[in-house]
Amino acid sequence: MRTLDKSHITPVLREYDLLRLNADGFMMTRSLAENYPYSKLYKAALRGGKSEWLDIVEDLESGELEPLAGLTHLIALLINRSNTFIELSDDCIIKTDTYLRSNPSPEAILSLINDFVDNSEYSARAFEIAIHAAYQAMDEMEYIEGV
């Protein structure tokens, strides 16, 4: 499965910007590398849609889901999700530009970032992004020596 994923599945998903995957593909995760079948009893710790993934596998194996129809539907969902993401990104850029044109104070910007991190469902990831953005800004303003 890993060879098929790396050679065929992941390159196409990446080429059409449908999923952002590691170049080696989704099958590289150790959670999917267990030596027992994917079933309702699959005990590996998967994040995200574990039950949905197992439902798809069950439906494919039982013949309840026709593979081509299922794949076509999944790709359609990914395209829709990708288009939605692009629209949200464009809207975010417009709102950011509008905010920056209002010439906010450094304190107001810091408050906005703190609120974002504090109110995010994924505060650790949001904090990581905020720190990265801060260092990038400091580097661009040449506040960091030796970089």
Side-chain angles (χ1 to χ4, degrees):
M1 187 68 186
R2 286 182 179 187
T3 301
L4 288 173
D5 177 32
K6 184 175 180 175
S7 301
H8 302 287
I9 299 168
T10 294
V12 171
L13 292 173
R14 288 169 56 107
E15 178 183 350
Y16 292 99
D17 203 23
L18 297 176
L19 276 181
R20 304 228 184 252
L21 294 172
N22 162 329
D24 292 322
F26 75 93
M27 293 303 290
M28 290 307 293
T29 177
R30 298 298 308 152
S31 299
L32 296 174
E34 301 296 340
N35 62 353
Y36 45 88
Y38 301 129
S39 73
K40 296 290 182 185
L41 303 175
Y42 193 69
K43 58 186 174 186
L46 297 175
R47 292 186 310 176
K50 178 180 179 179
S51 65
E52 291 84 355
W53 162 254
L54 295 174
D55 287 343
I56 290 170
V57 171
E58 290 286 325
D59 290 348
L60 285 168
E61 289 178 347
S62 71
E64 200 171 313
L65 176 61
E66 196 273 310
L68 183 56
L71 181 60
T72 302
H73 182 70
L74 179 62
I75 291 172
L77 291 173
L78 289 173
I79 290 169
N80 184 38
R81 205 168 176 190
S82 181
N83 291 340
T84 301
F85 177 77
I86 291 167
E87 290 169 11
L88 288 170
S89 298
D90 291 344
D91 185 48
C92 183
I93 290 169
I94 290 168
K95 287 180 178 176
T96 301
D97 288 342
T98 301
Y99 178 75
L100 292 175
R101 279 197 301 276
S102 74
N103 201 23
S105 69
E107 293 79 16
I109 294 171
L110 182 59
S111 176
L112 178 70
I113 293 169
N114 284 333
D115 288 345
F116 171 69
V117 172
D118 290 342
N119 296 311
S120 173
E121 291 181 25
Y122 301 101
S123 59
R125 178 63 56 96
F127 182 67
E128 183 181 325
I129 292 167
I131 292 293
H132 177 81
Y135 273 102
Q136 184 176 350
M138 290 169 46
D139 180 51
E140 287 177 10
M141 295 176 358
E142 299 181 355
Y143 288 168
I144 301 175
E145 292 182 25
V147 178

